[in-house]
Amino acid sequence: MTLTRPRHLFAVALVTALLVNLLVRFTYNSLPPFPLPAGATLGVLGVAEALVGSGLRARIRHRRPGTPPVQPLTAARAVLVAKASSLAGAIMAGVWAGLLAHVLPRAADVTAAAADSIAAGVGLACALVLVGGALWLEWCCRTPDDDSGDEPGE
């Protein structure tokens, strides 16, 4: 299994942003206002995945006496969660970026667009935190004898 490539996630986010931007252009007047903490859950998940990844990495790389080894199935499940989360985060980053691209230019003139741009900015930031946490979790599940030499972000 290979590490998830950030460029693939960027491509998914870009296509999603373009599609959402087109959709929002035609339906923005009929949409309800976006609440400010709408995307905050993604950030919480991203932080949780980063913390779990750090814990797994310490157990996999620096096998301390008295600590139980990481079971292969546990590591495989963590990688599965990381891959799914990075893709979901990229899709949601595209959704928030598509919305932000529509409302940000109108924020000075339309009050609803100003509020929605703040919500979209928070959602975009939290989606990027999810992608980062997922990529970190995936990278942390590598075994010490993995000779691929890939660093996160390559």
Side-chain angles (χ1 to χ4, degrees), residues 9 15 50 52 64 78 135-136:
L9 297 176
V15 169
V52 168
R64 284 183 238 127
L135 290 175
W136 174 249

Side-chain angles (χ1 to χ4, degrees), residues 37-117:
T41 305
L42 301 174
V44 171
L45 289 173
V47 169
E49 286 186 15
L51 292 174
V52 168
S54 295
L56 279 175
R57 183 171 189 252
R59 287 177 56 197
I60 290 171
R61 297 227 179 253
H62 310 290
R63 180 85 166 81
R64 284 183 238 127
T67 59
V70 176
Q71 297 298 319
L73 191 55
T74 301
R77 286 179 180 161
V79 170
L80 178 69
V81 167
K83 284 189 170 288
S85 294
S86 64
L87 182 59
I91 290 170
M92 289 309 298
V95 168
W96 289 115
L99 175 65
L100 190 61
H102 179 73
V103 296
L104 195 58
R106 294 161 183 78
D109 301 328
V110 181
T111 307
D116 288 344
S117 10

Side-chain angles (χ1 to χ4, degrees), residues 12-64:
V12 167
L14 184 62
V15 169
T16 305
L18 292 173
L19 293 174
V20 167
N21 188 275
L22 286 174
L23 183 65
V24 167
R25 285 181 189 273
F26 295 116
T27 62
Y28 185 69
N29 290 335
S30 62
L31 292 175
F34 293 92
L36 183 62
T41 305
L42 301 174
V44 171
L45 289 173
V47 169
E49 286 186 15
L51 292 174
V52 168
S54 295
L56 279 175
R57 183 171 189 252
R59 287 177 56 197
I60 290 171
R61 297 227 179 253
H62 310 290
R63 180 85 166 81
R64 284 183 238 127

